[in-house]
Amino acid sequence: MAEVQQSSGGDGKKGHQKKMAIRVDFTPMVDMNMLLITFFMLCTTMIKSQTLTIALPTNEKVQNEENMSQASADDAVTIILDAKKKPGPVAGTLVVDSVNGNVVNEVYYYFGKPGGDNGMFGAGGAILSENNNLQKSEFLTDEVNSVGDRSARGIRQIIQDRNKDVLKEIAEIKKKLADGEFGSLETKADREAAMEKYNEAASAIRKNENLKKPVIIIKSTPEASYRGLVDVLDEMQINSISKYQIDNLTDADLVMLDDYRKHHQE
Amino acid sequence: MGRVKIARKSTFIDMTAMSDVTVLLLTFFMLTSTFLQKEPTTVITPASVSTEKVQETNVLQVLVSPKGQVWITMNNDTSAQWSNNNMRVALLDKVTEIYNESHRNKISFTPQQKQTFSKLGVFGVPLAQMGEFLNLADEPEGITKMDQWLAGEDNNPNHITGIPITKENSDESPNEFQMWIKAARQAGNDNLSQAMKDGAGVAIKADQNTSFDIIHMVMDNLQTIKQNKFTLLTALKAGGE
């Protein structure tokens, strides 16, 4: 401790030396250290940001129409993001979450072409409400029941339902990974090697042309927030979607959104 | 009643152990810390399940404010040739070259101005005002003035904050934001060019409540100059998958 006791050495019988106690007061030292710690704690970032890599197609006009890859109407799922707006006279102002102050996003989706095979527009540009195949969903996390089984809800369930072939295979190799078929999981190096093999297998499944998988087109109204976009991109990752892209809203989409709101007022 | 005599005890508390602990804590914080960078606007990135760590070198970070202003931060190698300072000078030279190709009012920078630019962590003023901006460094309290300009808080209506970016854009006549990205690709640092090609070299950092309109504008600008792969900075979502 901070006391140094000078004893006379031996059993003290030989001579009577004066005992000296040297005490160093460490309190100012502790004060100073605490100040420094406070400084470092306030000035540092502990959390490193994560990144989400996205690849988008080029903006160049494709010269040859035949080279364009067309998603078949069967596979196409369009997800439309929108910000929730206040109804009534203040229309146009966005609803803000009272707890965290975030913009509230709404998510809509439809399969295939807008308005189904017959389209949204009748003779003379009339809007055919009965053809509106837009549906509303929500961003929801998985529900875990009492046994611990997970079940997806909201938009995730819809995506999973469309991508069940791929997800089934992914679940199989996940089980294999857990059973140690990709190599033992004992040490860190082993685990990394096994993960690499697993990722390769998963990527092969995602690219497998024989499996039926959806093509997801992500669209958003200008008001929807960035968080919604990241949420949708997350769903793509969670549900192993291999083909998705971000696209612009078309007139038909806007008409469908308006039409949906008109018929489903709260 | 007789008085009870209370023996006076010394109140000296031994602080040595306490000091030991605080020094350990201090060491921990000193070793693990990375300092917060001064940024012209504070953004809260959205949460995502992605667990990829952000690349720390060879990356252009595009900071987007909810109002649609754009700033760029460039982090480079630790190598001597492409240190942050050298790379920034190379970038400024290149962007000047690209700018002068398409503008009649040519711009040029003095060695002194380049020196100032090489120390800038984050930049974001129109190129036409860049000279005036860099000259501020020589004035008293110049650094504070520069920060205020970058944050749009200097109450000078002539000072434009953020790199000019437009919704309508083309590869042939790029706007200034696109010029900067192009300049970074062509500045001669192969590591950075490669990172940008792989997509890890450009990171968009935006607030979670930024409207899609603005994010789309930035993405569209990148797509037009064939920077089709890039990353979005996110925070880790608790309880992921």
Side-chain angles (χ1 to χ4, degrees):
Chain A
M1 293 293 143
E3 262 171 285
V4 180
Q5 299 229 322
Q6 287 192 341
S7 65
S8 50
D11 44 16
K13 277 176 190 170
K14 283 168 192 168
H16 286 283
Q17 229 171 357
K18 211 180 179 184
K19 279 189 183 176
M20 268 178 48
I22 306 168
R23 268 193 162 171
V24 183
D25 189 2
F26 270 92
T27 329
M29 170 89 164
V30 172
D31 288 352
M32 187 200 65
N33 281 348
M34 283 296 186
L35 280 179
L36 277 173
I37 290 177
T38 322
F39 169 73
F40 274 98
M41 278 176 76
L42 293 179
C43 295
T44 57
T45 38
M46 281 299 184
I47 323 152
K48 263 175 83 183
S49 285
Q50 260 69 29
T51 61
L52 187 66
T53 311
I54 55 171
L56 299 172
T58 116
N59 270 359
E60 276 178 280
K61 295 275 168 291
V62 180
Q63 300 296 325
N64 195 343
E65 292 271 317
E66 287 164 21
N67 287 350
M68 277 171 79
S69 59
Q70 282 273 357
S72 72
D74 273 358
D75 296 335
V77 179
T78 306
I79 295 179
I80 302 176
L81 280 167
D82 193 14
K84 196 170 179 180
K85 296 187 192 78
K86 287 179 186 149
V90 280
T93 43
L94 306 181
V95 173
V96 172
D97 193 311
S98 57
V99 180
N100 51 22
N102 288 337
V103 174
V104 181
N105 286 307
E106 288 179 327
V107 54
Y108 300 87
Y109 66 95
Y110 63 84
F111 302 128
K113 291 180 190 159
D117 289 334
N118 298 326
M120 269 308 281
F121 300 101
I127 297 162
L128 305 171
S129 294
E130 68 274 16
N131 282 351
N132 194 343
N133 55 354
L134 196 72
Q135 282 165 290
K136 196 176 174 184
S137 186
E138 277 176 283
F139 287 118
L140 290 170
T141 49
D142 288 349
E143 197 175 40
V144 182
N145 67 13
S146 53
V147 199
D149 289 332
R150 281 168 168 273
S151 55
R153 299 181 295 169
I155 191 79
R156 187 175 300 174
Q157 193 198 349
I158 287 139
I159 299 170
Q160 282 189 359
D161 199 42
R162 301 288 291 194
N163 200 28
K164 51 180 180 276
D165 291 358
V166 173
L167 287 171
K168 209 173 107 194
E169 302 241 344
I170 297 264
E172 271 171 30
I173 63 162
K174 243 186 202 161
K175 196 164 170 292
K176 274 190 194 172
L177 176 75
D179 293 346
E181 284 185 43
F182 287 109
S184 88
L185 302 169
E186 293 295 315
T187 66
K188 196 179 173 217
D190 283 350
R191 266 201 302 278
E192 271 166 16
M195 267 322 276
E196 202 166 296
K197 274 190 205 161
Y198 164 79
N199 284 337
E200 237 169 68
S203 141
I205 290 171
R206 281 198 289 268
K207 285 184 186 138
N208 188 345
E209 289 298 326
N210 298 324
L211 294 172
K212 185 175 163 48
K213 43 188 185 298
V215 176
I216 297 193
I217 302 151
I218 303 165
K219 296 178 180 182
S220 174
T221 60
E223 296 87 31
S225 80
Y226 176 45
R227 197 165 58 101
L229 180 71
V230 173
D231 280 344
V232 176
L233 292 173
D234 262 359
E235 294 299 329
M236 302 298 111
Q237 206 174 349
I238 292 169
N239 300 315
S240 302
I241 302 292
S242 52
K243 285 184 184 167
Y244 59 88
Q245 68 151 330
I246 300 170
D247 209 346
N248 297 327
L249 278 175
T250 61
D251 289 344
D253 295 328
L254 286 170
V255 166
M256 276 163 69
L257 266 176
D258 273 350
D259 188 64
Y260 183 92
R261 287 211 198 91
K262 211 181 285 168
H263 292 278
H264 296 82
Q265 259 168 13
E266 282 157 23
Chain B
M1 279 219 317
R3 269 200 185 168
V4 182
K5 258 196 182 172
I6 302 168
R8 277 204 181 177
K9 275 189 181 161
S10 153
T11 48
F12 190 92
I13 301 166
D14 191 12
M15 280 287 171
T16 331
M18 181 77 168
S19 170
D20 288 351
V21 174
T22 51
V23 169
L24 276 180
L25 267 174
L26 189 59
T27 322
F28 169 74
F29 277 106
M30 280 175 76
L31 292 180
T32 54
S33 66
T34 44
F35 280 95
L36 280 175
Q37 271 192 337
K38 239 186 327 189
E39 282 180 340
T41 179
T42 320
V43 298
I44 301 167
T45 52
S48 149
V49 292
S50 174
T51 51
E52 270 176 73
K53 285 279 180 235
V54 64
Q55 189 167 326
E56 279 183 348
T57 55
N58 291 321
V59 59
L60 276 186
Q61 200 183 81
V62 181
L63 180 69
V64 185
S65 84
K67 282 186 226 149
Q69 293 154 321
V70 172
W71 298 267
I72 293 178
T73 305
M74 190 166 65
N75 293 320
N76 290 290
D77 280 4
T78 43
S79 68
Q81 192 194 356
W82 296 119
S83 66
N84 272 336
N85 290 7
N86 291 349
M87 186 58 204
R88 288 197 193 114
V89 173
L91 179 73
L92 188 62
D93 285 342
K94 195 76 204 172
V95 83
T96 311
E97 190 187 317
I98 298 177
Y99 183 86
N100 285 344
E101 273 171 21
S102 56
H103 286 74
R104 229 182 307 144
N105 296 335
K106 308 280 183 234
I107 50 166
S108 63
F109 298 102
T110 62
Q112 176 66 30
Q113 287 171 330
K114 284 180 192 172
Q115 177 71 20
T116 310
F117 185 79
S118 74
K119 287 176 197 145
L120 282 184
V122 47
F123 49 89
V125 296
L127 277 165
Q129 297 188 345
M130 185 61 100
E132 190 193 335
F133 175 73
L134 294 175
N135 284 340
L136 275 180
D138 302 329
E139 292 180 21
E141 290 182 32
I143 304 294
T144 321
K145 282 182 192 162
M146 286 164 93
D147 286 343
Q148 280 173 346
W149 184 340
L150 276 181
E153 287 162 358
D154 64 347
N155 299 323
N156 186 336
N158 297 327
H159 289 173
I160 298 168
T161 299
I163 298 170
I165 179 167
T166 48
K167 215 163 263 184
E168 300 302 323
N169 57 81
S170 74
D171 203 10
E172 289 75 39
S173 54
N175 58 40
E176 285 190 27
F177 171 69
Q178 292 172 317
M179 284 182 193
W180 282 105
I181 303 286
K182 279 187 167 187
R185 278 197 301 218
Q186 297 165 10
N189 182 348
D190 290 337
N191 296 336
L192 180 64
S193 311
Q194 187 58 42
M196 288 175 82
K197 214 172 164 189
D198 296 340
V202 181
I204 297 181
K205 184 175 185 181
D207 192 78
Q208 52 181 352
N209 285 327
T210 310
S211 70
F212 177 78
D213 205 22
I214 284 160
I215 296 295
H216 192 246
M217 170 179 78
V218 176
M219 291 206 225
D220 194 57
N221 268 280
L222 290 171
Q223 273 174 284
T224 307
I225 52 166
K226 302 190 190 79
Q227 183 66 48
N228 294 321
K229 274 174 105 180
F230 44 85
T231 57
L232 307 175
L233 285 190
T234 56
L236 190 63
K237 190 182 261 177
E241 239 176 294

